[in-house]
Amino acid sequence: NTSVNNHPQKQGDGNDNDNGPPLQRELSSSIDRERSGRCPTCGEQTHRVEITTTTSADGEGVGRVVSKVKIPLTIDGMVYRGRCLICLPLPGGGGGSCGG
C-alpha cells in the first residue's frame, strides 16, 4: 500500500478542483463560485462582476486589475438583491422554484 502524498502533484495550475481532500475541494469550489458572483452553495448567478483594469501607456497589452465590484442581481423567483432564493429563501415563502 503506497501513499500518494510521497509524490508532489505537478498537474494543472494549482486551481484544479480535483486535487486534495474532498472538504478542501468543496471549499475551493465554494470560494471560486462566490468570487465569480455565484451562490457558493448551488452556483446560481447572484451578482454581476465588473472588473476595472489599467492599460499600458501605449493602450496595448494586458493591464492589472484595479478594482472588482460585485453588483447584486434580482432574477424573479431565483435571486433577490444578490440573495439566492433557492438556498436562502425569504421568510414568508419567497423561495425559488426548486424544492418546496
Side-chain angles (χ1 to χ4, degrees):
N1 197 2
T2 60
S3 174
V4 177
N5 293 333
N6 291 336
H7 305 286
Q9 294 179 354
K10 292 277 186 181
Q11 59 193 35
D13 60 1
N15 293 324
D16 193 338
N17 289 333
D18 291 335
N19 296 330
L23 181 58
Q24 181 181 351
R25 286 193 310 261
E26 184 178 320
L27 290 174
S28 178
S29 295
S30 175
I31 291 167
D32 290 343
R33 278 192 248 118
E34 194 165 4
R35 284 181 182 158
S36 64
R38 296 180 291 149
C39 172
T41 305
C42 73
E44 179 69 36
Q45 193 74 39
T46 59
H47 292 77
R48 181 172 46 120
V49 179
E50 288 188 357
I51 299 172
T52 305
T53 60
T54 60
T55 56
S56 58
D58 61 3
E60 299 282 331
V62 179
R64 64 181 181 87
V65 173
V66 175
S67 68
K68 187 174 182 179
V69 178
K70 291 181 6 180
I71 300 163
L73 299 175
T74 296
I75 303 169
D76 191 34
M78 302 295 284
V79 178
Y80 179 71
R81 295 185 179 179
R83 177 183 178 140
C84 177
L85 298 178
I86 297 167
C87 300
L88 298 168
L90 294 171
S97 58
C98 296

